[in-house]
Amino acid sequence: MNKVKNRWLIALAGVSVHLSIGSAYAWSIYTKPINALTEWSATSISFAFSIAIFCLGTSAAFMGKFVEHYGPRKTGMVASIFFGAGIALTGLAIQVQSLPMLYISYGLIGGIGLGSGYVTPVSTMVRWFPDHRGLATGLAIMGFGFASLVTSPIAQFLMGKVGVSNTFYILGALYFSVMFIASRYLEKPPKGWTPQGMVQHQEKNQAGQPIQTEGEGLTANEALRTSNFWMLWLTLFLNITCGLGIVSAASPMAQEMIGMSDQTAAAMVGVMGIFNGLGRLFWATLSDRFGRPKVFTMVFIVNAAALTTLYLSGAPILFVGLICLIMTCYGAGFSIIPAYIGDVFGTRELGAIHGYILTAWAAAGIVGPILLSTVHQMMNSYKPTLFIFIVLVCIALIISVIVGRKAVHKK
């Protein structure tokens, strides 16, 4: 009989994968160095990131099914190859100064690696932590949020020592190695396995929610035919639309609305990354304690209140605090959703359902930044966009209440 793997090492492997692919959030630090070498516009360089996020969401839908059929080990290996190659080829694109190659390497190839790597550990960790689903997804996805804090200083150091192209070659090899090694340890728990001390069919979590085990629940195609799936998809889309809109313009927004200097605004963006990561773990862990429906709804209440106060207030310290609070709510959507769909649809094809729901990220990755920049250009102010975001979050709040009531009624 094979020895059962340590689930905390499974978690460590999952976090390692997300720390690698989460480096995509540090893309903005390359904009000026690439511009200096190639004379490509900042907008053209940033578009590579938009393509990558779009490909993340779309490829996750396909790779979610892949991880269910072939397991996280093979999916992780595919992710390591695509992401590592995409990063390395980005260096080549910069070296030969080919903008189309940049879009293909970082946007398309790297984006497929992002989507593959994102779905690989999440459903696996949920299965290993049926007693703490929120903690499991929070840990994995926190790694994605924190990655830019790790990547930025390393990339800055390398660019100063070996140049931009060589930096991407080194990072590509590094990400491939970390992801490949980590994915070798990932696997689903044995059929019928439960954590020590947990009774499989009687155990409930601390919020009183019945814990569903492997084999229970709907298939991905069955989930797609339910109203719950599309309501959860829409809430995630609205949350990411508002969050990415704020992320994409936090620095100029702070400079325009409260007169913050560009240096201070840059520091604020770094602090935002910390709260983005912490929010993923905090809200997801809280959902284990009080239940997904209540906490998911609370996220939108807090988000709506923070955006409204941001719209009305002009105090610099309050502005920074509110932006950081909004970032925790933005991160919360990513970390709560996998555990929530496990509660609603079961774990039978959790990876596939999670992959489908991440298409909301692909759509929001385009809508959020474009909505903010377009309205700002038309109105010459960020306040009208903030008002639109308040409305969108309130819609998400209403939908989350409906989903929560249906989930409670189901139990």
Side-chain angles (χ1 to χ4, degrees):
M1 182 177 178
N2 294 329
K3 182 180 178 181
V4 176
K5 290 186 175 180
N6 186 313
R7 63 174 179 165
W8 291 103
L9 291 179
I10 292 282
L12 179 60
V15 171
S16 298
V17 171
H18 269 227
L19 276 172
S20 298
I21 62 173
S23 61
Y25 270 164
W27 178 249
S28 62
I29 69 171
Y30 303 116
T31 302
K32 287 186 177 181
I34 294 175
N35 173 260
L37 289 172
T38 63
E39 296 186 354
W40 299 332
S41 69
T43 302
S44 297
I45 296 168
S46 298
F47 188 59
F49 176 76
S50 298
I51 296 174
I53 294 299
F54 178 79
C55 289
L56 185 162
T58 52
S59 64
F62 171 76
M63 295 307 294
K65 294 286 287 186
F66 189 93
V67 75
E68 293 298 339
H69 286 290
Y70 298 101
R73 182 181 301 174
K74 290 184 179 179
T75 311
M77 291 168 63
V78 170
S80 68
I81 293 169
F82 272 90
F83 191 68
I87 296 299
L89 288 172
T90 297
L92 182 60
I94 295 167
Q95 186 173 335
V96 302
Q97 299 196 17
S98 171
L99 188 59
M101 185 177 178
L102 177 72
Y103 294 154
I104 293 171
S105 59
Y106 191 86
L108 178 59
I109 299 175
I112 293 173
L114 281 171
S116 306
Y118 196 91
V119 298
T120 291
V122 176
S123 61
T124 304
M125 289 174 64
V126 168
R127 289 183 170 98
W128 280 99
F129 290 85
D131 47 345
H132 298 290
R133 283 179 180 166
L135 173 64
T137 58
L139 280 173
I141 297 173
M142 179 188 68
F144 194 94
F146 272 144
S148 62
L149 297 176
V150 179
T151 297
S152 294
I154 295 174
Q156 293 282 12
F157 173 79
L158 288 174
M159 284 190 289
K161 291 292 184 181
V162 300
V164 179
S165 293
N166 288 333
T167 294
F168 280 98
Y169 296 146
I170 294 170
L171 290 178
L174 177 64
Y175 295 145
F176 167 77
S177 301
V178 171
M179 293 172 67
F180 188 86
I181 293 171
S183 66
R184 296 294 297 171
Y185 195 78
L186 290 173
E187 68 176 29
K188 297 178 183 179
K191 189 174 183 180
W193 175 88
T194 53
Q196 186 175 5
M198 174 180 161
V199 181
Q200 184 172 356
H201 296 293
Q202 298 177 354
E203 183 72 13
K204 295 185 178 182
N205 63 18
Q206 292 179 346
Q209 297 171 318
I211 296 172
Q212 294 171 306
T213 56
E214 180 70 24
E216 294 182 336
L218 307 181
T219 66
N221 290 336
E222 289 170 343
L224 281 174
R225 294 193 289 269
T226 67
S227 60
N228 274 341
F229 174 88
W230 292 106
M231 285 191 288
L232 287 173
W233 188 98
L234 186 55
T235 57
L236 186 62
F237 168 77
L238 294 173
N239 188 56
I240 299 174
T241 295
C242 299
L244 274 182
I246 298 294
V247 168
S248 67
S251 178
M253 184 185 295
Q255 294 175 58
E256 178 182 305
M257 293 181 65
I258 61 173
M260 186 179 287
S261 68
D262 55 350
Q263 294 90 347
T264 306
M268 181 193 72
V269 171
V271 174
M272 285 167 53
I274 298 174
F275 281 86
N276 183 3
L278 289 175
R280 296 167 189 240
L281 182 61
F282 171 76
W283 287 108
T285 305
L286 204 66
S287 73
D288 280 336
R289 176 76 177 175
F290 298 104
R292 243 71 68 185
K294 291 180 182 177
V295 174
F296 200 52
T297 298
M298 181 59 64
V299 167
F300 293 111
I301 293 174
V302 172
N303 205 359
L307 283 167
T308 302
T309 308
L310 189 67
Y311 178 83
L312 298 173
S313 174
I317 296 178
L318 185 59
F319 180 93
V320 175
L322 290 169
I323 288 288
C324 290
L325 186 58
I326 291 168
M327 283 300 97
T328 70
C329 297
Y330 169 62
F334 292 109
S335 60
I336 293 178
I337 278 290
Y340 206 164
I341 60 180
D343 294 343
V344 175
F345 304 114
T347 59
R348 183 177 177 182
E349 291 192 359
L350 177 60
I353 299 171
H354 186 216
Y356 285 153
I357 214 164
L358 285 177
T359 56
W361 196 354
I366 296 174
V367 174
I370 290 178
L371 176 63
L372 187 141
S373 60
T374 301
V375 175
H376 180 262
Q377 188 174 359
M378 292 173 58
M379 307 299 292
N380 199 31
S381 171
Y382 285 108
K383 287 212 166 187
T385 310
L386 285 177
F387 181 78
I388 294 172
F389 285 171
I390 293 168
V391 173
L392 295 180
V393 169
C394 287
I395 294 173
L397 170 59
I398 294 170
I399 297 172
S400 71
V401 171
I402 296 172
V403 176
R405 286 180 176 177
K406 290 180 69 174
V408 170
H409 178 71
K410 179 181 176 182
K411 291 186 286 182

